[in-house]
C-alpha cells in the first residue's frame, strides 16, 4: 500500500513538493514538478534527519515529527506545512490558553476595582490599565486562533511583563502569598512557551512567501 502528501514550498505560490511512500515509510520518493528529486529506500535515514541539495529548491531536509509521527520537510531551513492552511491550527492551543488568561484577567480586574474603588483616581487608573491588558489577551486569543504569530508574541510577552511586575511589586511589599500565583503563572508560561517554535516557523514561512510575492511584483 502506498501513501502520498503534498507540502507547500515556502516562497513558491501554488508550488508543492510531492512525497510518496510505502508502509513503514519505505521507498520514500520526493517529486517536484513531476520530476523525481530523491529516493530514500528505508526510514532509517529519515529518523536521523536526511538532507540533500537540489539545484532548484536548495537544501531539503527530511525528518520525522515526534508526535504524531509523520514526515516533515524543511526547505532552506523553513518548515513546509502539510497544506497552506495547516499552519493556522498550530497556534490554536495557545489561543485557548489566552482565553483562559483573559477570563482570569476580567475577574481580577473586577475584584481589584472593587477593592481600590472605581470612584477614586488610583482605582480608575488601575482598572483602565487592567482593561487594556485584558483586551491584549483577548486580541491574542482571537488572532492566535487564526494562526497569526504576532498575536501570540503580543500575548506571550505581555504575560511575561505582567508576571514580572506583579511578582516584583508584591515581593517588595512583603506579600509572600504571591509565591503561589508565581508558581501558577510559571506553569502557564511554560505551556505558552511550547508554542513559541510554532509561531517562529509560521513567521519564517510568511516572510518567505511575502518576500517572493514582492520580488514578483518588482520584476
Amino acid at each position: 500500500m502506498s501513501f502520498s502528501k503534498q507540502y507547500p514550498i515556502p516562497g513558491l505560490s501554488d508550488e508543492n513538493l510531492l512525497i510518496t511512500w510505502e508502509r513503514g515509510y519505505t521507498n520514500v520518493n520526493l517529486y517536484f514538478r513531476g520530476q523525481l528529486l530523491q529516493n530514500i529506500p528505508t526510514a532509517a535515514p529519515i529518523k536521523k534527519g536526511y538532507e540533500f541539495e537540489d539545484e532548484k529548491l536548495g537544501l531539503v531536509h527530511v525528518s520525522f515529527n515526534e508526535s504524531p509521527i509523520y514526515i516533515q520537510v524543511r526547505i532552506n531551513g523553513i518548515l513546509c506545512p502539510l497544506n497552506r492552511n495547516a499552519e493556522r491550527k498550530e497556534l490554536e492551543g495557545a489561543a485557548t490558553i489566552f482565553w483562559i488568561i483573559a477570563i482570569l484577567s476580567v475577574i481580577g480586574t473586577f475584584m481589584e476595582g472593587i477593592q481600590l474603588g472605581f470612584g477614586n483616581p488610583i482605582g480608575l487608573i488601575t482598572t483602565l490599565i487592567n482593561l487594556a491588558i485584558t483586551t491584549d489577551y483577548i486580541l491574542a486569543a482571537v488572532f492566535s486562533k487564526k494562526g497569526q504569530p504576532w498575536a501570540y508574541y503580543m500575548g506571550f510577552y505581555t504575560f511575561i511583563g505582567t508576571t514580572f511586575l506583579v511578582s516584583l511589586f508584591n515581593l517588595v511589599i512583603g506579600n509572600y502569598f504571591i509565591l503561589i500565583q508565581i508558581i501558577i503563572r510559571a506553569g502557564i508560561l511554560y505551556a505558552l512557551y511550547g508554542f513559541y517554535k510554532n509561531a517562529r516557523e509560521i513567521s519564517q514561512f510568511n516572510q518567505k512567501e511575502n518576500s517572493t510575492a514582492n520580488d514578483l511584483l518588482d520584476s
Side-chain angles (χ1 to χ4, degrees), residues 7 10 22 29 34 48 52 61 69 78 80 95 107 114 124 127 131 135 137 139 167 176 205 208 212 217:
Y7 295 75
E22 297 175 4
N29 294 306
K48 297 178 181 178
F52 66 92
H61 180 91
I69 295 177
I78 302 176
C80 301
I107 296 172
I114 293 176
L124 180 60
T127 299
L131 286 175
T135 302
Y137 293 137
L139 291 174
S167 302
Y176 295 105
F205 185 86
K208 186 67 176 177
T212 302
L217 289 172

Side-chain angles (χ1 to χ4, degrees), residues 16-77:
N16 297 289
L17 182 71
L18 173 65
I19 298 183
T20 65
W21 69 92
E22 297 175 4
R23 187 179 296 277
Y25 291 103
T26 59
N27 192 32
V28 177
N29 294 306
L30 286 79
Y31 297 91
F32 178 57
R33 294 175 179 171
Q35 295 184 344
L36 177 65
L37 301 182
Q38 197 78 194
N39 171 263
I40 309 173
T42 67
I46 302 177
K47 289 180 181 179
K48 297 178 181 178
Y50 184 85
E51 288 186 348
F52 66 92
E53 191 78 28
D54 180 74
E55 61 180 13
K56 296 178 181 177
L57 298 178
L59 182 64
V60 180
H61 180 91
V62 185
S63 61
F64 285 123
N65 188 60
E66 293 180 1
S67 180
I69 295 177
Y70 61 85
I71 294 176
Q72 64 178 11
V73 181
R74 294 177 183 272
I75 296 179
N76 299 315

Side-chain angles (χ1 to χ4, degrees), residues 9-215:
I9 298 174
L12 295 178
S13 295
D14 301 324
E15 293 271 28
N16 297 289
L17 182 71
L18 173 65
I19 298 183
T20 65
W21 69 92
E22 297 175 4
R23 187 179 296 277
Y25 291 103
T26 59
N27 192 32
V28 177
N29 294 306
L30 286 79
Y31 297 91
F32 178 57
R33 294 175 179 171
Q35 295 184 344
L36 177 65
L37 301 182
Q38 197 78 194
N39 171 263
I40 309 173
T42 67
I46 302 177
K47 289 180 181 179
K48 297 178 181 178
Y50 184 85
E51 288 186 348
F52 66 92
E53 191 78 28
D54 180 74
E55 61 180 13
K56 296 178 181 177
L57 298 178
L59 182 64
V60 180
H61 180 91
V62 185
S63 61
F64 285 123
N65 188 60
E66 293 180 1
S67 180
I69 295 177
Y70 61 85
I71 294 176
Q72 64 178 11
V73 181
R74 294 177 183 272
I75 296 179
N76 299 315
I78 302 176
L79 183 69
C80 301
L82 295 180
N83 59 65
R84 294 196 181 270
N85 294 318
E87 68 271 16
R88 294 184 178 181
K89 298 182 179 180
E90 295 296 320
L91 295 178
E92 285 186 351
T96 301
I97 296 174
F98 286 132
W99 276 122
I100 294 172
I101 296 173
I103 292 171
L104 293 175
S105 183
V106 169
I107 296 172
T109 297
F110 182 72
M111 293 179 63
E112 193 170 15
I114 293 176
Q115 184 179 6
L116 295 176
F118 294 106
N120 65 79
I122 295 178
L124 180 60
I125 292 172
T126 301
T127 299
L128 290 175
I129 292 174
N130 287 337
L131 286 175
I133 294 172
T134 301
T135 302
D136 183 289
Y137 293 137
I138 292 174
L139 291 174
V142 171
F143 288 98
S144 290
K145 176 76 172 179
K146 297 180 179 181
Q148 298 295 330
W150 64 264
Y152 166 82
Y153 293 134
M154 180 179 69
F156 179 67
Y157 287 116
T158 297
F159 192 73
I160 290 178
T162 55
T163 297
F164 175 76
L165 292 175
V166 169
S167 302
L168 181 63
F169 175 76
N170 281 274
L171 290 175
V172 167
I173 65 174
N175 179 19
Y176 295 105
F177 288 105
I178 194 65
L179 292 174
I180 298 174
Q181 187 181 142
I182 292 175
I183 293 173
I184 295 173
R185 281 177 169 267
I188 295 174
L189 278 173
Y190 180 79
L192 280 175
Y193 184 73
F195 297 93
Y196 196 91
K197 180 181 177 182
N198 301 36
R200 185 180 64 218
E201 289 176 341
I202 295 171
S203 296
Q204 291 175 337
F205 185 86
N206 290 342
Q207 288 171 4
K208 186 67 176 177
E209 292 280 273
N210 293 336
S211 175
T212 302
N214 291 334
D215 290 343

